[in-house]
Amino acid sequence: MLSHTLEHGVLVITVDQDPGIDGRAALTTYITNLVDAHKPAPVVIVLTDLGGSHAAVSAVLRAHQWCGRLGVLMSVVTHSAPVRRLLENNADTSGPRLVVHARTDTAIATAFTAAA
């Protein structure tokens, strides 16, 4: 369902499968556990074409709220313009803004620079 790496001090989590509605809570838990284990490292979540479902978007938005409470910078990468709009329109606005990118390399470089 997901994999993760550290690139330049940035936690990069890749969601490569649709968790389905039943797996949404588990995906949220996996992501927040990784965030907790690597904080204060900034987080980039990559939604692949197969991982860009509504359930995955919901899990990412919940993780964004978690990151906001912890003061951890989080951004998302997806090639899908409709998914980018969905994320931007539904992101929590009470904490740090959710930045949504179309390219992974740009997201990692931006997160690295912002954390420096």
Side-chain angles (χ1 to χ4, degrees):
M1 183 180 334
L2 65 81
S3 61
H4 71 283
T5 61
L6 277 175
E7 296 186 35
H8 305 291
V10 177
L11 174 62
V12 181
I13 301 170
T14 302
V15 179
D16 56 9
Q17 293 178 6
D18 176 4
I21 198 70
D22 294 333
R24 178 180 57 189
L27 179 58
T28 302
T29 300
Y30 293 145
I31 293 170
T32 56
N33 286 343
L34 286 168
V35 169
D36 285 342
H38 292 89
K39 68 183 174 193
V43 178
V44 171
I45 299 178
V46 180
L47 296 175
T48 66
D49 291 337
L50 296 175
S53 67
H54 286 285
V57 167
S58 176
V60 167
L61 291 172
R62 290 178 186 197
H64 177 244
Q65 290 175 332
W66 183 256
C67 288
R69 286 187 215 116
L70 297 176
V72 172
L73 176 67
M74 183 183 130
S75 56
V76 181
V77 176
T78 179
H79 297 293
S80 168
V83 173
R84 285 196 301 273
R85 283 191 297 275
L86 186 63
L87 286 161
E88 290 167 347
N89 291 337
N90 291 288
D92 182 16
T93 58
S94 65
R97 185 173 82 84
L98 179 63
V99 180
V100 184
H101 296 274
R103 293 179 36 162
T104 303
D105 59 340
T106 303
I108 293 169
T110 302
F112 174 75
T113 302

